[in-house]
Amino acid sequence: QKEVEQDPGPLSVPEGAIVSLNCTYSNSAFQYFMWYRQYSRKGPELLMYTYSSGNKEDGRFTAQVDKSSKYISLFIRDSQPSDSATYLCAMRKAGTALIFGKGTTLSVSS
Amino acid sequence: DTAVSQTPKYLVTQMGNDKSIKCEQNLGHDTMYWYKQDSKKFLKIMFSYNNKELIINETVPNRFSPKSPDKAHLNLHINSLELGDSAVYFCASSQGERDLPDTQYFGPGTRLTVL
């Protein structure tokens, strides 16, 4: 089993839809959970991070971590065409490298 | 004002050649990384340097040799290029462990194509 699993999609939604992106992981020692967004032909950029379990909200974006289920989610409300990108989950524990999921490609149509 | 820059942006070369990719960051970060992103968008770390010292060296063929002349630069030299080396290579930098979660800032990538 890979350390981090993420459905690559692609995921296509109409503008205004609520989008749910998810990752599962196997290493219970992971403490830091991140979502990176990568536009086509660009480098990834950090969107949100969460430490341990819980929710975090930033504008239209909400990140959730459920450590008991080893499951993390990113919700995008009122999705916009500008949200079209690949979303990569990433996680780590202190002292180790960041492990990325394979990324989910999202397309929001107007 | 570019934070993490890489050159070249595109690199097309023949099998067996040797090539280098350069990376520079102006964020004052202590730690720099090289990642490889394959055609399926899977991003995997190759190397990590902290203050010019190698701290992470994943299972990467020894044809790949990173070099850090100072903490703002991390270059990647690849010998005897193979078809399987074709990928996008990303450089990144971060403050390091003293500033968890240690957010990494990525460069624009170098798209390497080996013919």
Side-chain angles (χ1 to χ4, degrees):
Chain A
Q1 183 188 6
K2 283 192 166 44
E3 274 196 292
V4 180
E5 300 268 14
Q6 184 176 10
D7 185 342
L11 185 60
S12 295
V13 301
E15 185 175 355
I18 296 174
V19 176
S20 171
L21 304 166
N22 312 294
C23 288
T24 58
Y25 62 95
S26 57
N27 189 341
S28 58
F30 286 142
Q31 300 167 293
Y32 298 94
F33 303 91
M34 296 150 202
W35 287 94
Y36 279 80
R37 179 174 60 195
Q38 185 176 19
Y39 290 115
S40 181
R41 307 230 165 211
K42 300 284 186 189
E45 56 179 349
L46 182 68
L47 195 57
M48 295 186 74
Y49 84 88
T50 312
Y51 173 70
S52 194
S53 276
N55 293 1
K56 190 169 185 178
E57 193 173 313
D58 184 1
R60 296 184 295 109
F61 298 88
T62 300
Q64 282 186 355
V65 175
D66 181 350
K67 289 195 81 179
S68 61
S69 303
K70 297 195 188 75
Y71 188 87
I72 71 170
S73 302
L74 177 71
F75 296 97
I76 308 174
R77 288 183 298 283
D78 187 25
S79 55
Q80 303 295 308
S82 58
D83 296 328
S84 298
T86 297
Y87 291 81
L88 301 130
C89 64
M91 48 199 80
R92 65 183 296 237
K93 55 181 181 171
T96 64
L98 198 56
I99 308 293
F100 282 86
K102 286 196 171 186
T104 300
T105 300
L106 171 67
S107 176
V108 182
S109 54
S110 55
Chain B
D1 201 17
T2 307
V4 182
S5 58
Q6 293 178 231
T7 52
K9 198 165 182 182
Y10 299 95
L11 190 50
V12 181
T13 188
Q14 300 286 335
M15 257 191 343
N17 283 351
D18 303 339
K19 289 293 177 188
S20 290
I21 308 172
K22 295 188 174 183
C23 178
E24 177 181 0
Q25 54 96 1
N26 62 7
L27 297 167
H29 288 163
D30 291 336
T31 307
M32 295 185 73
Y33 311 81
W34 277 111
Y35 285 87
K36 179 180 180 181
Q37 188 171 48
D38 62 24
S39 57
K40 293 182 178 165
K41 301 265 186 167
F42 184 49
L43 194 62
K44 192 171 182 346
I45 190 161
M46 301 172 70
F47 302 103
S48 170
Y49 269 73
N50 182 265
N51 279 321
K52 302 193 299 172
E53 289 201 23
L54 182 66
I55 54 172
I56 292 175
N57 183 352
E58 291 294 305
T59 317
V60 175
N62 57 15
R63 298 182 294 104
F64 290 79
S65 52
K67 279 194 172 48
S68 182
D70 56 61
K71 73 174 194 176
H73 295 84
L74 180 62
N75 304 324
L76 184 65
H77 188 75
I78 316 170
N79 288 329
S80 304
L81 277 154
E82 299 177 358
L83 293 176
D85 297 332
S86 296
V88 182
Y89 291 84
F90 286 101
C91 177
S93 73
S94 72
Q95 289 278 36
E97 290 280 322
R98 59 186 171 88
D99 187 28
L100 291 170
D102 196 18
T103 300
Q104 295 183 21
Y105 296 81
F106 284 80
T110 296
R111 189 171 293 271
L112 171 66
T113 303
V114 182
L115 303 174

mmCIF file of all heavy atoms in Angstrom, chain A residues 18-34:
data_model
loop_
_atom_site.group_PDB
_atom_site.id
_atom_site.type_symbol
_atom_site.label_atom_id
_atom_site.label_comp_id
_atom_site.label_asym_id
_atom_site.label_seq_id
_atom_site.Cartn_x
_atom_site.Cartn_y
_atom_site.Cartn_z
ATOM 1 N N ILE A 18 -19.874 22.612 -5.177
ATOM 2 C CA ILE A 18 -18.996 22.316 -4.039
ATOM 3 C C ILE A 18 -18.136 21.126 -4.452
ATOM 4 O O ILE A 18 -18.649 20.108 -4.912
ATOM 5 C CB ILE A 18 -19.802 21.968 -2.778
ATOM 6 C CG1 ILE A 18 -20.624 23.182 -2.336
ATOM 7 C CG2 ILE A 18 -18.865 21.523 -1.650
ATOM 8 C CD1 ILE A 18 -21.569 22.895 -1.183
ATOM 9 N N VAL A 19 -16.836 21.280 -4.268
ATOM 10 C CA VAL A 19 -15.897 20.235 -4.664
ATOM 11 C C VAL A 19 -15.310 19.594 -3.415
ATOM 12 O O VAL A 19 -14.987 20.281 -2.447
ATOM 13 C CB VAL A 19 -14.757 20.832 -5.524
ATOM 14 C CG1 VAL A 19 -13.720 19.773 -5.856
ATOM 15 C CG2 VAL A 19 -15.324 21.444 -6.802
ATOM 16 N N SER A 20 -15.195 18.281 -3.453
ATOM 17 C CA SER A 20 -14.565 17.550 -2.354
ATOM 18 C C SER A 20 -13.393 16.748 -2.901
ATOM 19 O O SER A 20 -13.558 15.940 -3.810
ATOM 20 C CB SER A 20 -15.601 16.602 -1.725
ATOM 21 O OG SER A 20 -14.975 15.742 -0.812
ATOM 22 N N LEU A 21 -12.209 17.004 -2.374
ATOM 23 C CA LEU A 21 -10.999 16.292 -2.780
ATOM 24 C C LEU A 21 -10.484 15.539 -1.558
ATOM 25 O O LEU A 21 -10.520 16.072 -0.444
ATOM 26 C CB LEU A 21 -9.940 17.287 -3.273
ATOM 27 C CG LEU A 21 -10.394 18.202 -4.417
ATOM 28 C CD1 LEU A 21 -9.423 19.358 -4.601
ATOM 29 C CD2 LEU A 21 -10.526 17.408 -5.703
ATOM 30 N N ASN A 22 -9.997 14.322 -1.770
ATOM 31 C CA ASN A 22 -9.655 13.487 -0.619
ATOM 32 C C ASN A 22 -8.342 12.751 -0.804
ATOM 33 O O ASN A 22 -7.920 12.464 -1.926
ATOM 34 C CB ASN A 22 -10.750 12.429 -0.417
ATOM 35 C CG ASN A 22 -12.135 13.029 -0.462
ATOM 36 O OD1 ASN A 22 -12.495 13.810 0.399
ATOM 37 N ND2 ASN A 22 -12.898 12.691 -1.491
ATOM 38 N N CYS A 23 -7.738 12.429 0.328
ATOM 39 C CA CYS A 23 -6.559 11.557 0.354
ATOM 40 C C CYS A 23 -6.659 10.621 1.545
ATOM 41 O O CYS A 23 -7.204 11.012 2.592
ATOM 42 C CB CYS A 23 -5.265 12.376 0.482
ATOM 43 S SG CYS A 23 -4.820 13.274 -1.000
ATOM 44 N N THR A 24 -6.122 9.434 1.379
ATOM 45 C CA THR A 24 -5.967 8.535 2.514
ATOM 46 C C THR A 24 -4.484 8.260 2.692
ATOM 47 O O THR A 24 -3.692 8.416 1.752
ATOM 48 C CB THR A 24 -6.718 7.210 2.296
ATOM 49 O OG1 THR A 24 -6.219 6.600 1.097
ATOM 50 C CG2 THR A 24 -8.205 7.431 2.165
ATOM 51 N N TYR A 25 -4.108 7.870 3.892
ATOM 52 C CA TYR A 25 -2.698 7.603 4.149
ATOM 53 C C TYR A 25 -2.565 6.437 5.103
ATOM 54 O O TYR A 25 -3.523 6.035 5.770
ATOM 55 C CB TYR A 25 -2.008 8.856 4.694
ATOM 56 C CG TYR A 25 -2.546 9.363 6.025
ATOM 57 C CD1 TYR A 25 -1.952 8.997 7.226
ATOM 58 C CD2 TYR A 25 -3.645 10.225 6.060
ATOM 59 C CE1 TYR A 25 -2.440 9.465 8.437
ATOM 60 C CE2 TYR A 25 -4.142 10.695 7.261
ATOM 61 C CZ TYR A 25 -3.527 10.320 8.447
ATOM 62 O OH TYR A 25 -4.013 10.792 9.641
ATOM 63 N N SER A 26 -1.368 5.882 5.152
ATOM 64 C CA SER A 26 -1.170 4.676 5.962
ATOM 65 C C SER A 26 -0.308 4.928 7.203
ATOM 66 O O SER A 26 -0.389 4.166 8.166
ATOM 67 C CB SER A 26 -0.532 3.576 5.110
ATOM 68 O OG SER A 26 0.696 4.026 4.558
ATOM 69 N N ASN A 27 0.488 5.992 7.206
ATOM 70 C CA ASN A 27 1.427 6.230 8.305
ATOM 71 C C ASN A 27 0.769 7.076 9.397
ATOM 72 O O ASN A 27 0.569 8.276 9.231
ATOM 73 C CB ASN A 27 2.676 6.939 7.763
ATOM 74 C CG ASN A 27 3.788 7.020 8.790
ATOM 75 O OD1 ASN A 27 3.555 6.885 9.989
ATOM 76 N ND2 ASN A 27 4.997 7.257 8.327
ATOM 77 N N SER A 28 0.459 6.445 10.517
ATOM 78 C CA SER A 28 -0.246 7.148 11.597
ATOM 79 C C SER A 28 0.634 8.201 12.277
ATOM 80 O O SER A 28 0.155 8.993 13.086
ATOM 81 C CB SER A 28 -0.761 6.144 12.631
ATOM 82 O OG SER A 28 0.315 5.390 13.141
ATOM 83 N N ALA A 29 1.914 8.229 11.960
ATOM 84 C CA ALA A 29 2.817 9.205 12.571
ATOM 85 C C ALA A 29 2.777 10.575 11.885
ATOM 86 O O ALA A 29 3.339 11.532 12.402
ATOM 87 C CB ALA A 29 4.249 8.667 12.564
ATOM 88 N N PHE A 30 2.137 10.658 10.741
ATOM 89 C CA PHE A 30 2.054 11.957 10.054
ATOM 90 C C PHE A 30 1.352 12.971 10.956
ATOM 91 O O PHE A 30 0.345 12.667 11.596
ATOM 92 C CB PHE A 30 1.289 11.846 8.735
ATOM 93 C CG PHE A 30 2.055 11.182 7.630
ATOM 94 C CD1 PHE A 30 1.410 10.337 6.747
ATOM 95 C CD2 PHE A 30 3.405 11.418 7.446
ATOM 96 C CE1 PHE A 30 2.099 9.718 5.716
ATOM 97 C CE2 PHE A 30 4.108 10.808 6.419
ATOM 98 C CZ PHE A 30 3.444 9.950 5.549
ATOM 99 N N GLN A 31 1.925 14.187 10.985
ATOM 100 C CA GLN A 31 1.382 15.232 11.864
ATOM 101 C C GLN A 31 0.921 16.464 11.081
ATOM 102 O O GLN A 31 0.035 17.179 11.524
ATOM 103 C CB GLN A 31 2.465 15.696 12.830
ATOM 104 C CG GLN A 31 3.018 14.616 13.736
ATOM 105 C CD GLN A 31 4.289 15.098 14.405
ATOM 106 O OE1 GLN A 31 5.313 15.303 13.754
ATOM 107 N NE2 GLN A 31 4.229 15.298 15.698
ATOM 108 N N TYR A 32 1.577 16.739 9.972
ATOM 109 C CA TYR A 32 1.292 17.948 9.210
ATOM 110 C C TYR A 32 0.678 17.555 7.883
ATOM 111 O O TYR A 32 1.216 16.702 7.173
ATOM 112 C CB TYR A 32 2.584 18.743 8.968
ATOM 113 C CG TYR A 32 3.225 19.197 10.246
ATOM 114 C CD1 TYR A 32 4.211 18.434 10.842
ATOM 115 C CD2 TYR A 32 2.825 20.377 10.865
ATOM 116 C CE1 TYR A 32 4.781 18.828 12.035
ATOM 117 C CE2 TYR A 32 3.400 20.784 12.055
ATOM 118 C CZ TYR A 32 4.369 20.004 12.634
ATOM 119 O OH TYR A 32 4.930 20.399 13.817
ATOM 120 N N PHE A 33 -0.441 18.178 7.576
ATOM 121 C CA PHE A 33 -1.205 17.820 6.387
ATOM 122 C C PHE A 33 -1.419 19.072 5.554
ATOM 123 O O PHE A 33 -1.875 20.093 6.057
ATOM 124 C CB PHE A 33 -2.542 17.199 6.792
ATOM 125 C CG PHE A 33 -2.375 15.990 7.674
ATOM 126 C CD1 PHE A 33 -2.343 16.125 9.059
ATOM 127 C CD2 PHE A 33 -2.226 14.730 7.121
ATOM 128 C CE1 PHE A 33 -2.172 15.019 9.878
ATOM 129 C CE2 PHE A 33 -2.055 13.618 7.935
ATOM 130 C CZ PHE A 33 -2.025 13.753 9.314
ATOM 131 N N MET A 34 -1.074 18.979 4.294
ATOM 132 C CA MET A 34 -1.098 20.161 3.435
ATOM 133 C C MET A 34 -1.822 19.894 2.129
ATOM 134 O O MET A 34 -1.913 18.744 1.686
ATOM 135 C CB MET A 34 0.340 20.573 3.100
ATOM 136 C CG MET A 34 1.118 21.004 4.320
ATOM 137 S SD MET A 34 2.852 20.639 4.095
ATOM 138 C CE MET A 34 3.379 20.600 5.796
#
